[in-house]
Amino acid sequence: MIRFSRVSKAFRDPLLVDVDLDIESGAIWGLIGPGAGGKSVLLKIAAGLMRPDAGRVEIAGRDITGDDETALAQTRERIGMLFQNNALFDFMTVLDNVAFPLRRRGVADDEAEARAEKRLRAVGLAGSEHKMPSELSGGMQKRVGLARASVADPEVVIYDEPTAGLDPVTTSKIYDLLREDHEASKPTTIVVSSDVDALLSFAPRVALLEGGVLRYDGDAAAIAESDDAVVRQFVTGSLEGPL
Amino acid sequence: MSRTRDIRSADSPPAPPASAPDPQRVALLLRPPLLVGAAALGGARVARGIASLFAGTLLRAINRQSERGAVAEQMFNIGNRSLFFVAVTLGFIALVSVFQVCLQLNRVTGDLSKVGLELIKLMVHESAPSLTAMMLATRVGAGIAAEIGSMVVTEQVDALRMSGVDPVSYLILPRFLACLLMTPVLAVFAFGVALGSGTAMAYVAFGVNPSIFVDFSAVTAADVGIGVVKCFCFGAAIPVVSGYCGLTTFGGSEGVGAATTRAVINASLAVLALDLLLTVAGFMLFPPSAA
Ligand SMILES: Nc1ncnc2c1ncn2[C@@H]1O[C@H](COP(=O)(O)OP(=O)(O)OP(=O)(O)O)[C@@H](O)[C@H]1O
Ligand SMILES: [Mg+2]
């Protein structure tokens, strides 16, 4: 379970303002919103990578608000994350990138490699194991990032734009893979995507972050009928409206 | 009082009272002290950050939180990267200084027998450690800041933290240990090169016999001790200062460039400041008259 209580974060300008949020264990939660609205920052706070200026954050039953770096590191071991820009280690091969979280969690070398290979096959990257990330296309790098995020079967997986830069067929394949993963071990899954339609059909519950607040947080099927004109405009992509 | 007022009101339209300051001028006047204050605060913050990174690195070194392979790789990197650079620099500096000193002495006394003696003493406790460290501050400092800085801006450091990796143990500590160990090695190597080129210059240009030039008799244990302590202090300071600049990088590739520049400047300044401090400390602990 992930719970935010009145979480605020500001850099130059306020980015998140008193955000409340409650995601039950094993749920799939989608987050959409205009660019530079603070979606990635919200994910980093949920992953324990960034501290909020105010408010409380609970991850998997643990209040991490006052935790020091050591305790945070322990919490983060239960979370997998795909970064928006993939953040692949550029000094390691693709296989080592994916095996890295396993090795760091104490899995033996052979087993870590076998599991990483299996994961790479699942994202359609068999044969690229020994390449360096810089030798891959953008979409391939994204898939390596996906494989690395979920390879250690974390309790919580966070995907920041898992399908950005992928063609429609690969996008469908990726969502199938996320669905399979979710059915297998029921991790709490958080997905940010600007591909609104694909996300709405994947996540039963979605939220819309705009102007530092969650303007909608509920049933994905009902978002188009929201009372909020901003929400309706964003989902339909219309040029007419308050946005 | 009243007379003055009278004169004013009678003579000319009321001038603005002298006591009311023009806000724009005040702002202009306040600018320099404010800028100095901000710079001092910024400097203090950086110094505190570097000190705490140094303490954290030492703590992790004591707890042996580093992999041997990573340290060996960094030692190779640092040594390899700097060997040629250090050799060329120190070799040329020795050539030029021996040439200049001999030229001057020839004019004054004509006795060149003590040039090697003095040069070697100076090199042991001063030039070899500090010049080597200055070269390392530019070469290695820039490398460390660029590597770590680009990992920060591409979120690779965050990705490391997601796997339970402590960035200081993983990125700073191996570079710290490697630089700590390689600086004395490189300084000894630099000393050898400088001695060789200095001896050659004295022989070729001034006919000083190498058996006279190469004279270690003035070198005391204190000289060697100060030289070694300097090497270790410089070797510890360079990776911590430049690693701090790397870890605090923000922005894109522009940020990496800025971090690299900052690393070179700060690491060089750290070497110079430590050099002064250690020279004074050495002077007070081992006064030359007692030697
Ligand atoms: N570490 C940081 N330091 C300063 N500003 C930051 C930092 N991280 C994010 N920001 C700022 O916060 C704002 C929101 O960033 P964020 O990446 O969360 O947006 P986003 O909703 O994910 O946008 P996008 O859809 O384009 O990915 C941006 O204006 C960004 O400049
Ligand atoms: Mg984002």
Side-chain angles (χ1 to χ4, degrees):
Chain A
M1 174 205 56
I2 292 177
R3 178 176 291 152
F4 280 29
S5 322
R6 303 181 70 79
V7 165
S8 297
K9 181 82 188 172
F11 290 105
R12 287 249 165 92
D13 307 308
L15 197 56
L16 302 176
V17 183
D18 290 337
V19 171
D20 285 313
L21 171 63
D22 206 330
I23 308 170
E24 59 275 28
S25 298
I28 299 179
W29 188 72
L31 178 63
I32 54 177
K39 303 183 295 295
S40 297
V41 167
L42 188 145
L43 295 190
K44 283 184 191 166
I45 292 175
L49 280 174
M50 209 181 249
R51 287 177 197 274
D53 299 336
R56 312 193 71 78
V57 179
E58 237 176 87
I59 300 176
R62 185 184 168 86
D63 188 336
I64 61 162
T65 315
D67 277 0
D68 63 359
E69 203 39 46
T70 324
L72 276 180
Q74 273 168 6
T75 305
R76 284 197 294 260
E77 285 203 2
R78 297 150 68 186
I79 305 173
M81 178 152 182
L82 166 72
F83 290 84
Q84 185 165 6
N85 299 314
N86 309 323
L88 301 182
F89 304 125
D90 52 17
F91 51 96
M92 285 182 200
T93 63
V94 165
L95 184 66
D96 285 335
N97 259 283
V98 180
F100 189 83
L102 294 170
R103 292 191 176 129
R104 280 284 151 182
R105 285 166 178 78
V107 176
D109 246 11
D110 294 351
E111 195 198 330
E113 272 188 23
R115 278 171 70 180
E117 268 169 11
K118 191 168 154 226
R119 203 69 215 152
L120 282 169
R121 268 201 304 280
V123 295
L125 283 177
S128 298
E129 290 89 347
H130 300 290
K131 290 191 179 143
M132 297 305 275
S134 57
E135 297 172 74
L136 303 182
S137 75
M140 288 161 95
Q141 291 180 11
K142 181 67 68 190
R143 286 184 272 160
V144 177
L146 274 167
R148 188 179 67 182
S150 55
V151 72
D153 290 327
E155 284 167 50
V156 178
V157 258
I158 297 175
Y159 299 108
D160 199 349
E161 301 283 0
T163 57
L166 298 182
D167 63 83
V169 176
T170 315
T171 299
S172 306
K173 281 189 193 159
I174 291 295
Y175 275 117
D176 275 348
L177 182 74
L178 298 194
R179 226 169 259 128
E180 268 170 41
D181 280 353
H182 189 258
E183 268 154 33
S185 53
K186 291 265 178 281
T188 310
T189 305
I190 303 180
V191 185
V192 163
S193 180
S194 36
D195 187 351
V196 176
D197 291 334
L199 186 65
L200 287 179
S201 63
F202 172 69
R205 183 180 152 200
V206 292
L208 187 143
L209 178 67
E210 197 270 333
V213 293
L214 294 182
R215 302 196 69 127
Y216 183 89
D217 185 6
D219 205 350
I223 192 169
E225 284 92 53
S226 162
D227 301 333
D228 191 332
V230 171
V231 175
R232 282 199 311 273
Q233 189 199 349
F234 188 81
V235 174
T236 55
S238 151
L239 288 177
E240 315 267 307
L243 276 178
Chain B
M1 271 284 274
S2 63
R3 260 186 77 188
T4 334
R5 236 184 234 159
D6 283 345
I7 290 170
R8 237 194 221 167
S9 53
D11 259 337
S12 52
S19 61
D22 175 5
Q24 267 185 340
R25 282 188 61 184
V26 173
L28 213 65
L29 275 175
L30 278 179
R31 243 179 105 91
L34 279 180
L35 282 178
V36 170
L41 278 182
R45 205 185 53 233
V46 170
R48 192 149 23 91
I50 290 173
S52 96
L53 180 61
F54 180 65
T57 309
L58 266 191
L59 206 72
R60 287 167 178 87
I62 292 164
N63 293 335
R64 295 165 168 268
Q65 289 176 2
S66 182
E67 287 153 33
R68 265 203 209 138
V71 179
E73 190 188 324
Q74 289 302 328
M75 281 174 75
F76 179 76
N77 265 347
I78 290 171
N80 220 31
R81 245 186 223 162
S82 324
L83 208 59
F84 180 70
F85 192 44
V86 167
V88 169
T89 315
L90 272 281
F92 271 99
I93 288 177
L95 279 182
V96 173
S97 28
V98 167
F99 182 78
Q100 293 285 8
V101 168
C102 288
L103 212 61
Q104 301 291 330
L105 272 183
N106 250 347
R107 242 183 263 154
V108 186
T109 62
D111 175 15
L112 301 182
S113 63
K114 293 272 188 286
V115 174
L117 186 86
E118 289 300 329
L119 181 84
I120 288 171
K121 186 179 170 71
L122 183 69
M123 291 237 295
V124 168
H125 73 78
E126 177 55 48
S127 315
S130 61
L131 290 177
T132 304
M134 288 299 283
M135 295 302 113
L136 289 183
T138 53
R139 197 93 169 101
V140 176
I144 289 177
E147 261 171 25
I148 296 181
S150 69
M151 287 186 70
V152 169
V153 301
T154 55
E155 294 178 322
Q156 290 179 60
V157 172
D158 279 340
L160 284 174
R161 291 166 69 209
M162 282 316 293
S163 290
V165 174
D166 166 34
V168 177
S169 298
Y170 193 81
L171 296 173
I172 306 287
L173 187 53
R175 288 168 173 83
F176 173 77
L177 293 175
C179 202
L180 194 66
L181 296 173
M182 286 314 281
T183 306
V185 173
L186 283 167
V188 169
F189 169 75
F191 173 77
V193 173
L195 184 61
S197 68
T199 310
M201 173 57 89
Y203 180 66
V204 172
F206 301 93
V208 181
N209 194 319
S211 65
I212 294 173
F213 190 88
V214 182
D215 182 352
F216 283 87
S217 61
V219 177
T220 62
D223 291 329
V224 177
I226 292 170
V228 170
V229 168
K230 279 183 179 176
C231 283
F232 282 121
C233 290
F234 299 154
I238 293 166
V240 172
V241 171
S242 46
Y244 175 83
C245 295
L247 284 178
T248 51
T249 305
F250 61 92
S253 40
E254 215 174 303
V256 178
T260 311
T261 314
R262 253 185 305 137
V264 171
I265 294 172
N266 291 348
S268 309
L269 287 179
V271 167
L272 291 174
L274 280 172
D275 191 28
L276 180 66
L277 214 69
L278 292 168
T279 303
V280 171
F283 187 78
M284 299 213 297
L285 282 174
F286 311 101
S289 53

